[in-house]
Amino acid sequence: MDKLTKYARRHPYRVAFLVGLIYYGYAISWMFGLRTSQLAAGLSGYYVATSAAIIMMASFAIGPVVFIWLAHKIKLKFKSASDLIWLTMVWVSIEYFRAVLFSIVSFGPGGKLGPFWVFGNLGLWLIHTPLVYASRIGGLYLLSGLMFSLIVSLIWLIKKGHWLPFGITCLLAAGLSVTGWIVYRVPSGPNRQVAALQFAPETDPNQSIIKSRDLLNNLNQSSLDLIVLPEYSRFWETDPDLDSQAVDRVLKSNNQPITGLVIDSVQDKSSPVGLNLITFHDSSGRRMFDQGKWFIVPGGEFIPYLYQVILVSAG
């Protein structure tokens, strides 16, 4: 343990990059099960998957390295509570920078540049805890700052025996969460009954249509304002009459603007880049209007330019 500590002190950037590779590699491991990971087989497939993994993981792992560099640059030694505040602010800024950097690395046809890709954000560890209510005040980046402060102050408590920073951080996190819950306790606007249907990715599309229809038939009549179908559900394609009957039976029909809608998604194949659309239907399946997806997933809904280079070089 002492040797590891000494090595980390001598080579902080190497250690930060290695930790980033491990952590963010786990955070984005799901991306390598997307369709683009299956475009090559054999040795070419191994080359494609490995190259893409290195590029994506490295783009995220740069974040901890920049954090250590900035902390050294502004000479933060974590000797006081003010250091904890500054370190937290630096960390949240790096989280933002990392999200923007990944949008650049993964940019492609239909992609967007900005702080949209928050894979591995520390705040995500709090979304299934009561502290998630703090996000109603400051969003995911506030949760990231709270999580970072809790981790660092806990380490300080264990190593130095200083309980005050950890205690203050816990009180602050609890206070923000309670405040977020109280302020937004009562939702505004009318209540809506929504059914969202989703199945495992390996489910056969034809079976998912039948299962969706069966699930809808088990619901109470005229009980829903809105139905959200699985992505690319192909509803109304195989047996439109049965599908319309299942939908019409459970949807309310009081002629309010956002009542009696079904949300689905399709790929507009007439578009050169295969534009992904969110579609809105009435109970008969008639498409009332649609919206182009603003955020589409790199590797799943578009192939990043860097990925295209890898695919071409792999043949």
Side-chain angles (χ1 to χ4, degrees), residues 187-193 225 256 258:
S188 59
N191 292 324
R192 301 293 181 188
Q193 298 298 318
D225 297 293
Q256 293 186 19
I258 59 170

Side-chain angles (χ1 to χ4, degrees), residues 75-268:
K75 299 179 180 179
L76 294 175
K77 301 292 186 181
F78 194 28
K79 293 182 178 179
S80 64
S82 63
D83 283 348
L84 176 60
I85 295 172
W86 281 106
L87 283 169
T88 301
M89 293 172 62
V90 170
W91 176 260
V92 172
S93 300
I94 294 302
E95 290 266 51
Y96 188 92
F97 159 79
R98 186 172 51 77
V100 174
L101 177 63
F102 186 75
S103 75
I104 296 172
V105 172
S106 63
F107 190 67
K112 297 289 187 296
L113 296 177
F116 312 124
W117 305 114
V118 294
F119 311 128
N121 186 295
L122 285 184
L124 296 174
W125 293 97
L126 297 179
I127 61 175
H128 296 300
T129 74
L131 296 180
V132 71
Y133 291 108
S135 65
R136 293 178 172 179
I137 298 174
L140 181 62
Y141 288 101
L142 176 59
L143 291 184
S144 176
L146 289 176
M147 186 65 179
F148 177 84
S149 297
L150 287 168
I151 292 172
V152 175
S153 59
L154 179 60
I155 293 173
W156 200 14
L157 171 63
I158 294 171
K159 293 186 67 175
K160 307 277 188 174
H162 298 165
W163 59 268
L164 188 59
F166 182 70
I168 293 175
T169 303
C170 289
L171 288 174
L172 177 63
L176 288 171
S177 300
V178 171
T179 302
W181 180 77
I182 291 175
V183 172
Y184 299 100
R185 183 174 72 256
V186 180
S188 59
N191 292 324
R192 301 293 181 188
Q193 298 298 318
V194 179
L197 309 180
Q198 185 63 57
F199 302 101
E202 61 271 14
T203 304
D204 179 82
N206 293 322
Q207 287 298 314
S208 70
I209 294 174
I210 297 172
K211 289 181 180 180
S212 297
R213 192 186 302 144
D214 291 342
L215 287 172
L216 290 173
N217 285 329
N218 290 329
L219 296 174
N220 294 330
Q221 187 172 354
S222 300
S223 59
L224 299 175
D225 297 293
L226 178 67
I227 298 171
V228 183
L229 293 172
E231 189 176 37
Y232 310 121
S233 71
R234 295 172 56 204
F235 223 62
W236 290 295
E237 287 187 15
T238 57
D239 198 330
D241 290 337
L242 282 178
D243 292 339
S244 293
Q245 290 174 18
V247 168
D248 192 52
R249 191 185 70 83
V250 295
L251 280 179
K252 297 177 183 178
S253 55
N254 53 8
N255 298 319
Q256 293 186 19
I258 59 170
T259 291
L261 283 179
V262 182
I263 297 179
D264 197 4
S265 59
V266 299
Q267 187 176 56
D268 181 7

